[in-house]
């Protein structure tokens, strides 16, 4: 079991469960090209899966199926292509091209197709940044609208909500781009001690509770921009049935995911910079103890990503080599936290803590208890292994739907977590500092570290010499 991603069970709305209401007695059962095993859809041809997505007058796909298929189908077919096929099949099946429409029939079908389009726009809004997607959407409504005035209203509502969502998301993206540009200029390779005017974290925020809460603000803000599809798009390979191109011929749409990983790295370096900067040992020890308290508070909040970044920053060699400084620190609390995030046994301790937080989140009465911010690079690694570990298609060319149910479970849970509203008051000053305070490069950190406590052995002496 080592190395296989362990997953959490959650009863979120996305968690797929058996698709067919009656459990089949036989091991395998086929309905319209869909293969079921023990009541769960396990594989099917792409065509059969697309057909299964399409509502009719008396059928509507399960929510879990819609999410799983829309999430994973992009490995085989681009979203605009999928929507185009869905619309064509609806037109055929509901005879929407007939000169005289069967109004009674379309009134039964209309609400269902509107519901499907609504779910798609709500869960995967980034798909609709493409003109073609909006085109298919409008075309569909134009065809059914003559049968019921209310359909126009529904469409306007849908488009308005979508526009607002995309505007918020792109505003967030622009904000992140601006911040990243500001930060990259500030990677400081200090040749010597930084000037004393450099503000330090304790002058901006000396209360560990407050800092942990502001870090949680930053995390939730950045998480909110990540679309579920980015997890799939990060690992797009060529589809074996389509030897010519990957599904995403344009650049992989994973910019929010990448920006979030950059934030983690920035926080590691910021912690290390703050510790290596002070000239006096006593001050350095004070900063270490402060960050230990911040990390512990992050753990209590359920913010495992900031927690891991802080621990990683403290474990960077320029920091961990400061023996004299560490001798002044009460380290017991630090070791407890380190133990929680210990990678042994595929991060067994962390996964146990995460399950605890996930469980608390499900039964929460307040937003504060709902917070679960997973250690993000491990989540990506789990999804990566799940993706590498089994094929997207079976030897007969069928889509391996079982794999995508597992994928949807992991991504679906993440979506539930990223939707939590941050319950803490925002402090713009602290957040600005977290995003813009200058940080040392790796060389800068070593220089500052050797300035603080001189090199112990030949290797360090040589390194110091070459840096100077």
């Amino acid at each position: 079991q080592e190395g296989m991603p362990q997953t959490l069970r959650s009863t979120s709305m996305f968690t797929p469960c058996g698709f067919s209401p009656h459990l089949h007695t036989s091991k395998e059962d086929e309905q319209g090209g869909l293969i079921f095993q023990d009541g769960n859809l396990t594989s099917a041809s792409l065509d059969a899966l697309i057909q299964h997505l399409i509502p009719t007058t008396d059928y509507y796909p399960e929510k879990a199926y819609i999410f799983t298929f829309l999430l994973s189908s992009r490995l085989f077919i681009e979203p605009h292509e999928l929507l185009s096929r869905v619309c064509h099949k609806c037109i055929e099946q509901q005879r929407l091209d007939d000169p005289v429409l069967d109004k009674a029939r379309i009134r039964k079908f209309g609400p269902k197709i509107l519901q499907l389009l609504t779910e798609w726009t709500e869960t995967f809004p980034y798909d609709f940044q493409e003109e073609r997607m909006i085109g298919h959407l409008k075309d569909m409504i134009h065809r059914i609208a003559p049968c019921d005035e209310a359909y126009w209203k529904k469409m306007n509502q849908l488009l308005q909500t979508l526009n607002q969502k995309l505007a918020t998301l792109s505003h967030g993206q622009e904000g992140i781009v601006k911040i990243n540009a500001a930060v990259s200029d500030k990677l400081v390779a200090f040749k010597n001690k930084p000037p004393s005017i450099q503000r330090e974290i304790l002058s901006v925020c000396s209360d560990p509770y407050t800092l942990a809460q502001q870090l949680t603000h930053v995390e939730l803000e950045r998480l909110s921009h990540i679309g579920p599809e980015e997890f799939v798009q990060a690992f797009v390979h060529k589809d074996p049935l389509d030897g010519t191109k990957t599904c995403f011929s344009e650049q992989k749409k994973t910019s929010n995911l990448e920006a979030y990983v950059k934030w983690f790295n920035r926080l590691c370096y910021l912690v290390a910079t703050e510790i290596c900067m002070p000239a006096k040992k006593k001050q350095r020890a004070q900063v270490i103890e402060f960050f230990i308290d911040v990390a512990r508070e992050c753990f209590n909040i359920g913010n495992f990503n900031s927690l891991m970044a802080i621990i990683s920053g403290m474990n960077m060699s320029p920091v961990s080599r400061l023996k004299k400084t560490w001798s002044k620190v009460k380290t017991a609390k630090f070791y407890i936290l380190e133990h929680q995030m210990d990678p042994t046994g595929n991060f067994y301790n962390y996964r146990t803590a995460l399950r605890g937080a996930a469980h608390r989140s499900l039964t929460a009465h307040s937003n504060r208890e709902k917070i679960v911010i997973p250690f993000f690079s491990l989540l990506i690694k789990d999804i990566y292994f799940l993706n590498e570990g089994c094929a997207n298609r079976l030897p007969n060319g069928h889509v391996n739907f079982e794999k995508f149910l597992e994928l949807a479970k992991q991504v679906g849970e993440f979506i539930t977590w990223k939707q939590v509203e941050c319950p803490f008051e925002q402090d713009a000053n602290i957040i600005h500092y977290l995003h813009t305070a200058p940080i040392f490069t790796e060389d800068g950190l070593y220089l500052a570290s050797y300035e603080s406590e001189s090199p112990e052995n030949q290797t360090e002496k040589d390194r110091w010499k070459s840096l100077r």
Side-chain angles (χ1 to χ4, degrees):
Q1 198 37 36
E2 180 65 22
M4 255 317 276
Q6 302 162 6
T7 55
L8 312 178
R9 287 213 164 275
S10 130
T11 49
S12 83
M13 60 182 252
F14 297 106
T15 304
C17 33
F19 287 110
S20 104
H22 45 280
L23 282 173
H24 302 287
T25 42
S26 70
K27 258 330 216 183
E28 284 207 351
D29 193 52
E30 188 165 352
Q31 303 174 343
L34 303 172
I35 309 288
F36 287 88
Q37 200 163 359
D38 300 334
N40 289 321
L41 178 54
T42 54
S43 73
S45 68
L46 187 59
D47 283 338
L49 290 170
I50 294 174
Q51 186 57 59
H52 197 55
L53 180 72
I54 294 171
T56 63
T57 49
D58 51 9
Y59 163 77
Y60 189 75
E62 291 195 17
K63 207 177 179 84
Y65 176 75
I66 297 171
F67 177 66
T68 305
F69 185 59
L70 290 181
L71 178 70
S72 55
S73 60
R74 59 200 66 237
L75 289 168
F76 308 100
I77 178 172
E78 290 196 36
H80 71 88
E81 178 75 19
L82 175 62
L83 185 54
S84 161
R85 281 174 68 173
V86 167
C87 292
H88 281 303
K89 288 199 172 187
C90 287
I91 291 165
E92 239 170 70
Q93 288 165 17
Q94 302 304 324
R95 299 201 286 280
L96 297 177
D97 267 345
D98 288 7
V100 179
L101 294 174
D102 175 347
K103 288 198 176 183
R105 179 194 175 116
I106 289 170
R107 282 205 188 101
K108 279 190 191 160
F109 165 74
K112 295 197 172 85
I113 187 69
L114 278 167
Q115 175 63 27
L116 181 69
L117 295 171
T118 304
E119 285 190 46
W120 194 336
T121 54
E122 281 172 356
T123 318
F124 298 95
Y126 289 122
D127 285 353
F128 292 85
Q129 282 173 317
E130 246 195 286
E131 281 303 306
R132 288 180 284 193
M133 291 290 282
I134 302 287
H136 295 314
L137 194 84
K138 288 182 170 166
D139 175 58
M140 194 68 230
I141 312 278
H142 280 256
R143 289 170 184 277
I144 60 172
C147 298
D148 194 331
E149 274 300 291
Y151 295 161
W152 289 116
K153 215 169 119 185
K154 272 293 268 202
M155 176 175 87
N156 281 328
Q157 245 174 328
L158 186 150
L159 288 174
Q160 236 178 326
T161 315
L162 179 64
N163 278 330
Q164 280 169 335
K165 198 156 187 178
L166 286 172
T168 316
L169 290 168
S170 73
H171 175 71
Q173 276 179 305
E174 280 158 26
I176 285 173
V177 172
K178 278 200 197 97
I179 284 171
N180 281 343
V183 168
S184 56
D185 306 337
K186 287 203 170 149
L187 269 173
V188 203
F190 286 119
K191 277 281 170 246
N192 45 23
K193 267 290 184 232
S196 53
I197 46 171
Q198 158 90 35
R199 286 203 303 170
E200 26 103 68
I201 189 79
L202 288 171
S203 66
V204 181
C205 173
S206 57
D207 174 41
Y209 283 91
T210 308
L211 188 61
Q213 293 179 355
Q214 297 312 305
L215 285 168
T216 304
H217 251 295
V218 175
E219 298 278 353
L220 285 171
E221 156 72 19
R222 291 186 160 236
L223 279 183
S224 70
H225 299 299
I226 298 172
E229 69 283 355
E230 295 194 40
F231 289 103
V232 175
Q233 280 152 205
F235 307 122
V236 168
H237 293 310
K238 280 196 167 75
D239 181 10
L241 291 194
D242 178 16
T244 50
K245 61 179 178 60
T246 54
C247 279
F248 279 82
S249 29
E250 327 102 80
Q251 96 324 340
K252 287 186 191 167
K253 303 174 177 148
T254 53
S255 51
N256 300 299
L257 201 130
E258 287 158 31
Y260 190 50
V261 172
K262 273 191 187 139
W263 149 252
F264 178 91
N265 294 336
R266 170 171 170 83
L267 184 53
C268 293
Y269 273 84
L270 181 65
V271 168
T273 299
E274 295 286 346
I275 294 170
C276 291
M277 229 170 18
K280 293 194 169 63
K281 181 167 60 191
K282 191 179 156 189
Q283 281 172 298
R284 290 194 299 273
Q286 192 188 355
V287 177
I288 290 177
E289 291 198 329
F290 172 70
F291 276 120
I292 293 172
D293 288 338
V294 175
R296 191 165 65 162
E297 205 36 51
C298 286
F299 180 83
N300 294 339
I301 289 173
N303 176 356
F304 298 105
N305 203 50
S306 292
L307 164 66
M308 198 58 170
I310 294 170
I311 291 175
S312 307
M314 289 177 155
N315 280 329
M316 286 172 83
S317 8
V319 177
S320 59
R321 66 169 291 282
L322 299 170
K323 306 276 189 296
K324 294 176 184 136
T325 304
W326 280 95
S327 70
K328 297 257 171 275
V329 175
K330 300 185 196 72
T331 46
K333 286 190 285 192
F334 180 62
Y335 294 137
I336 292 169
L337 288 171
E338 238 190 350
H339 178 67
Q340 282 297 344
M341 301 312 270
D342 180 6
T344 325
N346 193 11
F347 286 90
Y348 180 80
N349 297 346
Y350 157 70
R351 290 180 193 277
T352 308
L354 181 69
R355 271 199 291 276
H359 186 72
R360 171 183 76 180
S361 177
L362 286 176
T363 55
H365 297 298
S366 68
N367 268 353
R368 175 150 192 171
E369 295 170 318
K370 277 196 189 122
I371 298 172
V372 184
I373 300 170
F375 169 31
F376 194 63
S377 40
L378 188 61
L379 177 69
I380 292 180
K381 202 169 121 186
D382 282 351
I383 289 174
Y384 176 77
F385 279 123
L386 171 64
N387 200 54
E388 290 296 299
C390 39
N392 292 338
R393 286 195 192 259
L394 303 173
N396 65 359
H398 271 195
V399 171
N400 180 1
F401 204 72
E402 236 173 328
K403 166 179 175 173
F404 296 122
L405 283 173
E406 188 53 47
L407 184 71
K409 200 163 80 181
Q410 297 196 15
V411 176
E413 194 164 37
F414 167 78
I415 292 184
T416 315
W417 295 336
K418 81 175 189 123
Q419 285 166 341
V420 176
E421 288 280 313
C422 191
F424 309 118
E425 215 173 305
Q426 205 169 350
D427 183 319
N429 194 18
I430 299 174
I431 287 181
H432 180 74
Y433 184 85
L434 289 171
H435 279 132
T436 59
I439 50 176
F440 290 150
T441 56
E442 196 176 352
D443 285 349
L445 281 174
Y446 272 109
L447 256 178
S449 177
Y450 295 143
E451 292 278 336
S452 302
E453 294 186 20
S454 42
E456 301 245 307
N457 53 40
Q458 204 46 52
T459 321
E460 291 195 344
K461 282 178 186 149
D462 294 344
R463 175 150 200 174
W464 196 21
K465 212 157 116 187
S466 75
L467 284 174
R468 281 191 304 184

